[in-house]
Protein backbone atom coordinates (compact mmCIF):
# COMPACT_ATOMS: atom_id res chain seq x y z
CA UNK A 1 0.00 0.00 0.00
CA UNK A 2 2.84 2.36 0.88
CA UNK A 3 4.58 1.66 -2.44
CA UNK A 4 1.36 2.28 -4.42
CA UNK A 5 0.86 5.57 -2.60
CA UNK A 6 4.40 6.68 -3.43
CA UNK A 7 3.92 5.77 -7.07
CA UNK A 8 0.73 7.85 -7.21
CA UNK A 9 2.54 10.79 -5.63
CA UNK A 10 5.32 10.54 -8.19
CA UNK A 11 2.79 10.42 -11.01
CA UNK A 12 0.82 13.43 -9.74
CA UNK A 13 3.34 16.14 -10.86
CA UNK A 14 3.60 14.48 -14.24
CA UNK A 15 -0.17 14.47 -14.65
CA UNK A 16 -0.36 18.08 -13.48
CA UNK A 17 2.32 19.07 -15.97
CA UNK A 18 0.48 17.19 -18.69
CA UNK A 19 -2.84 18.89 -17.89
CA UNK A 20 -1.19 22.33 -17.70
CA UNK A 21 0.68 21.69 -20.93
CA UNK A 22 -2.52 20.63 -22.65
CA UNK A 23 -4.31 23.76 -21.51
CA UNK A 24 -1.42 25.95 -22.68
CA UNK A 25 -1.42 24.18 -26.04
CA UNK A 26 -5.17 24.66 -26.41
CA UNK A 27 -4.75 28.33 -25.50
CA UNK A 28 -2.04 28.78 -28.11
CA UNK A 29 -4.17 27.07 -30.71
CA UNK A 30 -7.09 29.37 -29.91
CA UNK A 31 -4.80 32.42 -30.01
CA UNK A 32 -3.26 31.32 -33.30
CA UNK A 33 -6.71 30.66 -34.74
CA UNK A 34 -7.90 34.10 -33.64
CA UNK A 35 -4.81 35.67 -35.20
CA UNK A 36 -5.39 33.76 -38.41
CA UNK A 37 -9.02 34.87 -38.50
CA UNK A 38 -7.95 38.49 -37.84
CA UNK A 39 -5.29 38.34 -40.55
CA UNK A 40 -7.76 36.84 -43.00
CA UNK A 41 -10.34 39.50 -42.20
CA UNK A 42 -7.68 42.20 -42.61
CA UNK A 43 -6.73 40.91 -46.05
CA UNK A 44 -10.37 40.71 -46.99
CA UNK A 45 -10.92 44.23 -45.69
CA UNK A 46 -8.08 45.37 -47.92
CA UNK A 47 -10.14 44.57 -51.01
CA UNK A 48 -11.67 47.07 -53.42
CA UNK A 49 -14.89 48.76 -52.42
CA UNK A 50 -17.31 47.38 -55.01
CA UNK A 51 -21.04 47.69 -55.31
CA UNK A 52 -23.33 44.64 -55.24
CA UNK A 53 -23.52 44.25 -59.03
CA UNK A 54 -19.77 44.67 -59.57
CA UNK A 55 -19.03 42.27 -56.71
CA UNK A 56 -21.19 39.59 -58.35
CA UNK A 57 -19.44 40.13 -61.68
CA UNK A 58 -16.04 39.86 -60.00
CA UNK A 59 -17.05 36.68 -58.18
CA UNK A 60 -18.24 35.25 -61.49
CA UNK A 61 -14.86 35.95 -63.11
CA UNK A 62 -13.09 34.19 -60.25
CA UNK A 63 -15.40 31.18 -60.40
CA UNK A 64 -14.79 30.71 -64.12
CA UNK A 65 -11.00 31.04 -63.88
CA UNK A 66 -8.64 28.10 -63.39
CA UNK A 67 -6.73 27.79 -60.10
CA UNK A 68 -3.55 29.60 -61.21
CA UNK A 69 -5.43 32.42 -62.95
CA UNK A 70 -7.71 32.76 -59.94
CA UNK A 71 -4.69 33.13 -57.65
CA UNK A 72 -3.13 35.74 -59.95
CA UNK A 73 -6.38 37.71 -60.07
CA UNK A 74 -6.79 37.61 -56.29
CA UNK A 75 -3.22 38.78 -55.74
CA UNK A 76 -3.72 41.70 -58.14
CA UNK A 77 -7.02 42.51 -56.44
CA UNK A 78 -5.45 42.49 -52.98
CA UNK A 79 -2.58 44.63 -54.22
CA UNK A 80 -5.05 47.30 -55.26
CA UNK A 81 -6.82 47.01 -51.92
CA UNK A 82 -3.56 47.33 -50.01
CA UNK A 83 -2.58 50.51 -51.85
CA UNK A 84 -6.07 51.92 -51.28
CA UNK A 85 -5.81 51.06 -47.58
CA UNK A 86 -2.45 52.85 -47.42
CA UNK A 87 -3.98 55.90 -49.07
CA UNK A 88 -6.64 55.99 -46.35
CA UNK A 89 -4.04 55.58 -43.60
CA UNK A 90 -1.97 58.47 -44.99
CA UNK A 91 -5.10 60.59 -45.32
CA UNK A 92 -5.93 60.09 -41.64
CA UNK A 93 -2.34 60.86 -40.63
CA UNK A 94 -2.44 64.02 -42.74
CA UNK A 95 -5.65 65.20 -41.07
CA UNK A 96 -4.26 64.56 -37.59
CA UNK A 97 -0.92 66.26 -38.25
CA UNK A 98 -2.46 69.20 -40.12
CA UNK A 99 -4.85 69.85 -37.22
CA UNK A 100 -1.91 69.76 -34.80
CA UNK A 101 0.11 72.13 -37.02
CA UNK A 102 -2.78 74.56 -37.32
CA UNK A 103 -3.22 74.68 -33.54
CA UNK A 104 0.53 75.01 -33.00
CA UNK A 105 0.75 77.88 -35.51
CA UNK A 106 -1.90 79.81 -33.61
CA UNK A 107 -0.10 79.20 -30.29
CA UNK A 108 3.22 80.33 -31.76
CA UNK A 109 1.71 83.49 -33.22
CA UNK A 110 0.37 84.40 -29.79
CA UNK A 111 3.71 83.61 -28.14
CA UNK A 112 5.58 85.71 -30.71
CA UNK A 113 3.23 88.67 -30.20
CA UNK A 114 3.88 88.40 -26.47
CA UNK A 115 7.69 88.44 -26.89
CA UNK A 116 9.33 90.51 -24.11
CA UNK A 117 5.94 91.89 -23.06
CA UNK A 118 6.84 91.53 -19.37
CA UNK A 119 10.21 93.26 -19.81
CA UNK A 120 8.76 96.18 -21.76
CA UNK A 121 5.86 96.54 -19.32
CA UNK A 122 8.27 96.56 -16.36
CA UNK A 123 10.46 99.26 -17.96
CA UNK A 124 7.42 101.34 -18.90
CA UNK A 125 6.20 101.13 -15.32
CA UNK A 126 9.65 102.15 -14.09
CA UNK A 127 9.58 105.25 -16.31
CA UNK A 128 6.12 106.12 -15.05
CA UNK A 129 7.14 105.71 -11.40
CA UNK A 130 10.33 107.73 -11.90
CA UNK A 131 8.46 110.59 -13.54
CA UNK A 132 5.88 110.52 -10.78
CA UNK A 133 8.61 110.60 -8.10
CA UNK A 134 10.23 113.70 -9.61
CA UNK A 135 7.02 115.62 -10.30
CA UNK A 136 7.14 117.56 -6.97
CA UNK A 137 10.76 118.54 -7.67
CA UNK A 138 9.92 119.76 -11.17
CA UNK A 139 6.89 121.64 -9.87
CA UNK A 140 9.01 123.33 -7.19
CA UNK A 141 11.70 124.24 -9.74
CA UNK A 142 9.08 125.74 -12.10
CA UNK A 143 7.58 127.72 -9.21
CA UNK A 144 10.99 129.08 -8.20
CA UNK A 145 11.73 130.17 -11.78
CA UNK A 146 8.37 131.95 -12.02
CA UNK A 147 9.13 133.77 -8.78
CA UNK A 148 12.55 134.71 -10.13
CA UNK A 149 10.93 136.16 -13.25
CA UNK A 150 8.48 138.10 -11.08
CA UNK A 151 11.30 139.46 -8.89
CA UNK A 152 13.21 140.55 -11.98
CA UNK A 153 10.10 142.23 -13.35
CA UNK A 154 9.67 144.42 -10.29
CA UNK A 155 13.46 144.90 -10.00
CA UNK A 156 13.60 143.68 -6.42
CA UNK A 157 17.30 142.83 -6.01
CA UNK A 158 17.07 141.25 -2.57
CA UNK A 159 14.16 139.01 -3.56
CA UNK A 160 15.84 138.19 -6.88
CA UNK A 161 19.07 137.22 -5.13
CA UNK A 162 17.26 134.95 -2.67
CA UNK A 163 15.19 133.23 -5.39
CA UNK A 164 18.26 132.92 -7.65
CA UNK A 165 20.14 131.11 -4.88
CA UNK A 166 17.25 128.72 -4.43
CA UNK A 167 17.02 128.14 -8.20
CA UNK A 168 20.77 127.49 -8.48
CA UNK A 169 20.55 124.97 -5.63
CA UNK A 170 17.71 123.12 -7.36
CA UNK A 171 19.22 123.24 -10.87
CA UNK A 172 21.76 120.34 -10.53
CA UNK A 173 19.21 118.19 -8.69
CA UNK A 174 16.69 118.78 -11.46
CA UNK A 175 19.37 118.00 -14.05
CA UNK A 176 20.10 114.65 -12.37
CA UNK A 177 16.37 113.87 -12.21
CA UNK A 178 15.93 114.59 -15.90
CA UNK A 179 18.96 112.46 -16.72
CA UNK A 180 17.52 109.62 -14.65
CA UNK A 181 14.25 109.83 -16.60
CA UNK A 182 16.14 110.08 -19.91
CA UNK A 183 18.13 106.94 -19.14
CA UNK A 184 15.05 104.97 -18.18
CA UNK A 185 13.20 106.14 -21.31
CA UNK A 186 16.19 105.11 -23.38
CA UNK A 187 16.15 101.65 -21.77
CA UNK A 188 12.45 101.37 -22.58
CA UNK A 189 13.00 102.45 -26.20
CA UNK A 190 15.84 99.95 -26.63
CA UNK A 191 13.71 97.17 -25.13
CA UNK A 192 10.90 97.99 -27.56
CA UNK A 193 13.39 97.98 -30.42
CA UNK A 194 14.75 94.59 -29.36
CA UNK A 195 11.19 93.30 -29.03
CA UNK A 196 10.35 94.39 -32.57
CA UNK A 197 13.56 92.86 -33.94
CA UNK A 198 12.94 89.57 -32.14
CA UNK A 199 9.33 89.41 -33.32
CA UNK A 200 10.53 90.02 -36.86
CA UNK A 201 13.16 87.27 -36.53
CA UNK A 202 10.73 84.72 -35.09
CA UNK A 203 8.11 85.51 -37.71
CA UNK A 204 10.75 85.02 -40.40
CA UNK A 205 11.49 81.60 -38.91
CA UNK A 206 7.78 80.83 -38.85
CA UNK A 207 7.55 81.82 -42.51
CA UNK A 208 10.09 79.09 -43.21
CA UNK A 209 7.12 76.72 -43.34
CA UNK A 210 5.53 78.65 -46.22
CA UNK A 211 7.55 76.79 -48.84
CA UNK A 212 6.32 73.42 -47.56
CA UNK A 213 2.76 74.76 -47.41
CA UNK A 214 2.91 75.80 -51.06
CA UNK A 215 4.24 72.36 -51.96
CA UNK A 216 1.36 70.83 -50.00
CA UNK A 217 -1.14 72.75 -52.13
CA UNK A 218 0.56 71.46 -55.29
CA UNK A 219 0.62 67.91 -53.89
CA UNK A 220 -3.08 68.15 -53.01
CA UNK A 221 -3.87 68.98 -56.63
CA UNK A 222 -1.84 65.95 -57.69
CA UNK A 223 -3.74 63.83 -55.17
CA UNK A 224 -7.05 65.06 -56.59
CA UNK A 225 -5.92 64.10 -60.09
CA UNK A 226 -4.78 60.71 -58.78
CA UNK A 227 -8.19 60.22 -57.19
CA UNK A 228 -9.91 61.01 -60.49
CA UNK A 229 -7.64 58.55 -62.30
CA UNK A 230 -8.41 55.91 -59.68
CA UNK A 231 -12.15 56.43 -60.14
CA UNK A 232 -11.82 56.07 -63.91
CA UNK A 233 -9.60 52.98 -63.58
CA UNK A 234 -12.10 51.47 -61.14
CA UNK A 235 -14.92 52.00 -63.62
CA UNK A 236 -12.82 50.31 -66.31
CA UNK A 237 -12.21 47.38 -63.97
CA UNK A 238 -15.93 47.04 -63.25
CA UNK A 239 -16.68 47.20 -66.97
CA UNK A 240 -14.10 44.50 -67.69
CA UNK A 241 -15.67 42.16 -65.10
CA UNK A 242 -19.01 42.45 -66.89
CA UNK A 243 -17.35 41.29 -70.11
CA UNK A 244 -15.86 38.29 -68.23
CA UNK A 245 -12.60 38.43 -70.17
CA UNK A 246 -9.90 37.33 -67.75
CA UNK A 247 -7.03 39.04 -69.59
CA UNK A 248 -8.85 42.38 -69.62
CA UNK A 249 -9.81 42.02 -65.97
CA UNK A 250 -6.20 41.37 -64.98
CA UNK A 251 -4.97 44.24 -67.14
CA UNK A 252 -7.50 46.63 -65.61
CA UNK A 253 -6.52 45.45 -62.13
CA UNK A 254 -2.84 46.10 -62.81
CA UNK A 255 -3.70 49.56 -64.10
CA UNK A 256 -5.85 50.17 -61.02
CA UNK A 257 -3.02 49.04 -58.75
CA UNK A 258 -0.58 51.42 -60.46
CA UNK A 259 -2.99 54.34 -60.09
CA UNK A 260 -3.73 53.45 -56.45
CA UNK A 261 -0.01 53.29 -55.72
CA UNK A 262 0.53 56.79 -57.14
CA UNK A 263 -2.46 58.06 -55.18
CA UNK A 264 -1.07 56.64 -51.95
CA UNK A 265 2.32 58.08 -52.88
CA UNK A 266 0.94 61.59 -53.23
CA UNK A 267 -0.71 61.28 -49.81
CA UNK A 268 2.58 60.12 -48.31
CA UNK A 269 4.30 63.13 -49.88
CA UNK A 270 1.72 65.46 -48.35
CA UNK A 271 2.29 63.88 -44.95
CA UNK A 272 6.05 64.33 -45.32
CA UNK A 273 5.54 68.00 -46.15
CA UNK A 274 3.26 68.40 -43.11
CA UNK A 275 6.08 66.91 -41.05
CA UNK A 276 8.41 69.58 -42.50
CA UNK A 277 5.96 72.23 -41.36
CA UNK A 278 5.87 70.63 -37.92
CA UNK A 279 9.68 70.57 -37.77
CA UNK A 280 9.79 74.32 -38.49
CA UNK A 281 7.28 75.00 -35.72
CA UNK A 282 9.33 72.93 -33.27
CA UNK A 283 12.41 75.04 -34.07
CA UNK A 284 10.46 78.27 -33.51
CA UNK A 285 9.09 76.99 -30.20
CA UNK A 286 12.61 76.04 -29.10
CA UNK A 287 13.85 79.54 -29.98
CA UNK A 288 11.06 81.08 -27.92
CA UNK A 289 11.82 78.75 -25.01
CA UNK A 290 15.54 79.71 -25.08
CA UNK A 291 14.81 83.39 -24.54
CA UNK A 292 15.36 84.64 -20.97
CA UNK A 293 12.12 85.19 -19.12
Amino acid sequence: MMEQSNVRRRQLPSMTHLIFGSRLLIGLVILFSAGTIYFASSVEAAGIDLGVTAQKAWDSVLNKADAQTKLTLKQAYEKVGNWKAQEQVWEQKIKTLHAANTAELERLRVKIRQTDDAKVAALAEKVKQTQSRYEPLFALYSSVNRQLDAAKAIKNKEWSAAIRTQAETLRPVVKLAREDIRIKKKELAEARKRKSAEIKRLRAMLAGADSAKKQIQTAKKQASLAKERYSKALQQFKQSTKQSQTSRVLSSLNTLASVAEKWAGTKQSIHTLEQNVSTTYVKVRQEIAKRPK
Side-chain angles (χ1 to χ4, degrees), residues 117-282:
D117 272 359
K119 289 181 182 179
V120 171
L123 289 172
E125 181 62 24
K126 191 176 287 186
V127 169
K128 182 179 178 181
Q129 290 175 355
T130 303
Q131 287 176 322
S132 179
R133 186 170 69 250
Y134 290 132
E135 276 181 6
L137 174 63
F138 294 150
L140 175 61
Y141 188 59
S142 296
S143 175
V144 169
N145 282 323
R146 285 195 299 270
Q147 291 178 46
L148 181 59
D149 290 340
K152 287 179 180 179
I154 62 174
K155 298 180 180 180
N156 187 324
K157 293 183 180 180
E158 292 181 359
W159 187 25
S160 294
I163 297 299
R164 186 177 293 105
T165 300
Q166 189 175 2
E168 289 175 353
T169 302
L170 288 173
R171 188 174 294 116
V173 179
V174 170
K175 184 178 180 181
L176 288 173
R178 286 173 177 167
E179 180 64 14
D180 189 17
I181 292 173
R182 187 192 69 78
I183 290 172
K184 286 181 171 58
K185 283 185 175 180
K186 183 181 178 182
E187 289 175 351
L188 176 58
E190 288 175 349
R192 284 173 173 163
K193 187 176 180 180
R194 286 194 300 271
K195 172 184 170 74
S196 297
E198 183 62 10
I199 287 176
K200 185 177 180 180
R201 185 181 77 87
L202 291 172
R203 283 177 176 168
M205 285 187 66
L206 204 60
D210 290 348
S211 176
K213 289 180 180 180
K214 289 179 181 178
Q215 291 177 61
I216 286 172
Q217 295 306 313
T218 301
K220 281 184 175 180
K221 291 178 182 178
Q222 293 173 348
S224 295
L225 290 173
K227 183 179 180 180
E228 290 178 11
R229 294 190 189 102
Y230 178 84
S231 297
K232 290 178 181 178
L234 181 58
Q235 289 302 317
Q236 290 175 357
F237 165 68
K238 290 179 179 179
Q239 188 63 35
S240 67
T241 58
K242 291 179 182 179
Q243 297 170 355
S244 296
Q245 294 183 15
T246 306
S247 59
R248 285 193 176 184
V249 172
L250 183 58
S251 176
S252 64
L253 272 176
N254 289 333
T255 300
L256 190 58
S258 177
V259 172
E261 181 181 2
K262 289 178 181 178
W263 189 13
T266 58
K267 290 297 182 71
Q268 185 177 3
S269 297
I270 292 171
H271 184 263
T272 299
L273 290 168
E274 283 287 358
Q275 285 180 318
N276 292 343
V277 172
S278 181
T279 299
T280 299
Y281 292 168
V282 168

Side-chain angles (χ1 to χ4, degrees), residues 48-112:
I48 309 168
D49 185 17
L50 300 176
V52 177
T53 302
Q55 185 65 52
K56 288 181 178 179
W58 166 242
D59 292 339
S60 176
V61 170
L62 289 178
N63 291 334
K64 293 177 182 178
D66 58 65
Q68 184 57 47
T69 304
K70 186 175 183 179
L71 178 61
T72 303
L73 288 168
K74 280 188 173 181
Q75 288 175 341
Y77 183 88
E78 288 174 3
K79 186 177 180 181
V80 175
N82 287 334
W83 283 120
K84 185 64 176 69
Q86 285 191 39
E87 180 274 325
Q88 292 173 347
V89 168
W90 286 120
E91 177 62 21
Q92 187 55 49
K93 286 184 176 182
I94 289 167
K95 287 181 179 179
T96 301
L97 186 54
H98 180 71
N101 282 341
T102 301
E104 179 67 359
L105 175 60
E106 186 55 35
R107 284 193 293 269
L108 289 173
R109 281 173 173 168
V110 172
K111 286 285 185 181
I112 290 173

